[in-house]
């Protein structure tokens, strides 16, 4: 059943677990996500970026989710706009049927971010839609980073408190050292968990971890053995994800792991059957490989058996 992001995340916040927010760009990805949720009895957040919306068309994105939500009414699912870059983009998504939106004005000054977020919250709440905002810059933190540099880039807990109070935003993404994609850390993985705990204390709302892909060993191996190159890649270890959830994270954004798992399988099949051209012979196993990665995540984040 399609529900608001707030409903899913308030429950996770109260009970102290994480819900994967999985990106999709087509039916195969979305179906893989739903199949994992069904298998693990996990609530779901599925999210489309502006790029994904451009690729699918907004009606298709909403239509796919509504169709699967109707087919599997037992799965509580929220449809979220990932990294909405403007008020207009958020309104468009709300009008089209999204039940959760992110207004990402984190690259603006604090006051501008606050103003923009507040505008979106006013409309979204009138429509029963949850809102996410972000504070700080997403970037890997390295051993030799100075305290001042860290303070300049990462979330400030006191600012987070003021931001949440003023905007009434429903969930907040605090920058604590993650980044998007497959190359998250130059040295050893490092996150600012202390800062995270302070933000949770100051805000007491669901928190969001962007750039949370782990690149698990099995996924990396599958990609490499199919002939892919992932030199220098590093994800967020599972143990870090669990510590982040203990520290107050409830929404765990995941895209890269899904992409890598899917493409590894497509390439393996292409390599092994060079006369094959039936799309289904590629996409069914690739979807299944993706689904396994998602199901494993649901166990690790603690959302399995939550519906
Ligand atoms: O935040 C980034 C997500 O992985 C979406 O990426 O903009 O390439 O669709 P995209
Ligand atoms: P990954 O690139 O780590 O999967 O992060 C995705 C994300 O944060 C989407 O908003
Ligand atoms: Zn993100």
């Amino acid at each position: 059943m399609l529900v608001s992001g707030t409903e899913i995340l308030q429950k996770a916040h109260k009970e102290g677990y994480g819900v994967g927010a999985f990106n999709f760009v087509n039916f195969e990805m979305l179906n893989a996500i739903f199949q994992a949720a069904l298998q693990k009895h996990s609530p779901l957040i599925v999210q489309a970026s502006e790029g994904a919306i451009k690729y699918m068309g907004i009606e298709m994105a909403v239509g796919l989710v509504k169709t699967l939500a109707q087919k599997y009414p037992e799965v509580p699912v929220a449809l979220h706009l990932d990294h909405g870059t403007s008020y207009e983009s958020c309104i468009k998504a709300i009008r089209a049927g999204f039940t959760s939106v992110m207004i990402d004005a984190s690259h603006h000054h604090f006051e501008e971010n606050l103003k923009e977020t507040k505008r979106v919250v006013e409309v979204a709440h009138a429509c029963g839609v949850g809102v996410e905002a972000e504070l700080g810059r997403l970037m890997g933190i390295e051993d030799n980073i100075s305290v001042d540099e860290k303070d300049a880039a990462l979330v400030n807990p006191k600012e987070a408190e003021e931001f949440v109070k003023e905007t009434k935003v429903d969930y907040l993404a605090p920058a604590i050292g993650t980044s998007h994609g497959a190359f998250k850390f130059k040295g050893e993985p490092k996150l600012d968990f202390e800062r995270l705990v302070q933000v949770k204390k100051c805000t007491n709302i669901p928190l969001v971890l962007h750039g949370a892909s782990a690149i698990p060993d099995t996924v990396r191996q599958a990609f490499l053995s199919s002939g892919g190159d992932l030199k220098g890649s590093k994800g967020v270890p599972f143990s870090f994800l669990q510590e982040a959830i203990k520290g107050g994270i409830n929404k765990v954004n995941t895209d890269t792991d899904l992409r890598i798992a899917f493409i590894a399988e497509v390439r393996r099949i292409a390599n092994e059957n060079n006369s094959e051209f039936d799309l289904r012979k590629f996409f069914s196993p690739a979807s299944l490989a993706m689904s396994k990665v998602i199901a494993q995540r649901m166990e690790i984040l603690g959302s399995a058996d939550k519906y």
Side-chain angles (χ1 to χ4, degrees):
M1 187 173 53
L2 194 58
V3 300
S4 80
T6 308
E7 185 177 324
I8 291 191
L9 288 172
Q10 269 301 326
K11 185 169 183 293
H13 168 62
K14 285 189 187 122
E15 296 179 21
Y17 61 88
V19 179
F22 300 104
N23 288 72
F24 71 101
V25 301
N26 61 14
F27 164 74
E28 279 72 23
M29 283 185 95
L30 191 63
N31 193 39
I33 300 166
F34 265 87
Q35 295 310 319
L38 283 163
Q39 189 200 333
K40 290 293 168 189
H41 295 268
S42 169
L44 260 191
I45 300 173
V46 294
Q47 53 188 16
S49 66
E50 289 178 352
I53 289 172
K54 195 167 168 203
Y55 178 73
M56 286 181 276
I58 200 160
E59 299 82 6
M60 181 61 77
V62 176
L64 286 172
V65 174
K66 282 194 171 162
T67 303
L68 287 173
Q70 258 168 31
K71 183 168 176 189
Y72 306 116
E74 63 272 46
V75 181
V77 55
L79 171 56
H80 177 79
L81 171 68
D82 191 25
H83 293 284
T85 51
S86 64
Y87 170 83
E88 289 73 24
S89 176
C90 292
I91 301 307
K92 222 166 148 184
I94 294 169
R95 281 222 178 96
F98 281 62
T99 61
S100 177
V101 291
M102 175 184 192
I103 170 70
D104 183 0
S106 58
H107 48 287
H108 289 301
H109 287 277
F110 178 77
E111 286 75 22
E112 184 63 22
N113 188 353
L114 191 146
K115 210 171 91 193
E116 214 41 17
T117 302
K118 209 168 170 175
R119 271 175 90 198
V120 173
V121 168
E122 277 164 15
V123 178
H125 283 185
C127 305
V129 167
V131 180
E132 172 184 337
E134 181 168 311
L135 280 176
R137 270 192 293 126
L138 287 190
M139 58 167 246
I141 44 176
E142 284 155 40
D143 282 337
N144 56 2
I145 190 171
S146 72
V147 174
D148 284 354
E149 280 172 320
K150 218 165 146 177
D151 279 343
L154 303 185
V155 61
N156 173 324
K158 280 287 153 206
E159 276 189 0
E161 181 172 10
E162 183 191 342
F163 188 88
V164 169
K165 215 163 117 198
E166 286 289 316
T167 59
K168 301 198 168 46
V169 75
D170 301 285
Y171 15 104
L172 181 72
I176 57 162
T178 56
S179 63
H180 290 126
F183 305 90
K184 297 185 189 300
F185 309 100
K186 288 220 178 76
E188 282 307 299
K190 209 177 168 72
L191 296 183
D192 195 336
F193 291 114
E194 252 174 61
R195 202 175 282 261
L196 170 65
V197 170
Q198 284 175 31
V199 172
K200 190 71 169 189
K201 218 188 256 165
C202 290
T203 60
N204 194 30
I205 63 168
L207 299 180
V208 183
L209 191 65
H210 281 255
S213 276
I215 324 188
D217 286 343
T218 47
V219 176
R220 177 189 304 279
Q221 273 320 316
F223 196 80
L224 297 183
S225 62
S226 74
D229 180 5
L230 275 178
K231 234 178 267 99
S233 62
K234 219 164 270 172
V236 181
F238 287 154
S239 60
F240 278 40
L241 293 179
Q242 288 176 324
E243 188 163 349
I245 289 165
K246 269 199 211 129
I249 292 292
N250 304 107
K251 177 173 179 278
V252 184
N253 284 15
T254 313
D255 190 357
T256 299
D257 280 355
L258 276 49
R259 296 178 178 193
I260 295 176
F262 192 91
I263 294 305
E265 193 60 357
V266 169
R267 185 162 35 230
R268 182 189 68 77
I269 296 164
N271 289 341
E272 286 174 11
N273 311 275
N274 63 6
S275 57
E276 184 57 69
F277 49 76
D278 180 342
L279 273 67
R280 294 164 296 187
K281 298 270 170 57
F282 294 86
F283 290 171
S284 297
S287 245
L288 190 63
M290 186 186 276
S291 211
K292 283 185 185 155
V293 172
I294 298 166
Q296 182 190 35
R297 262 200 163 232
M298 288 166 168
E299 291 286 353
I300 283 158
L301 306 182
S303 69
D305 294 319
K306 294 295 182 189
Y307 80 77

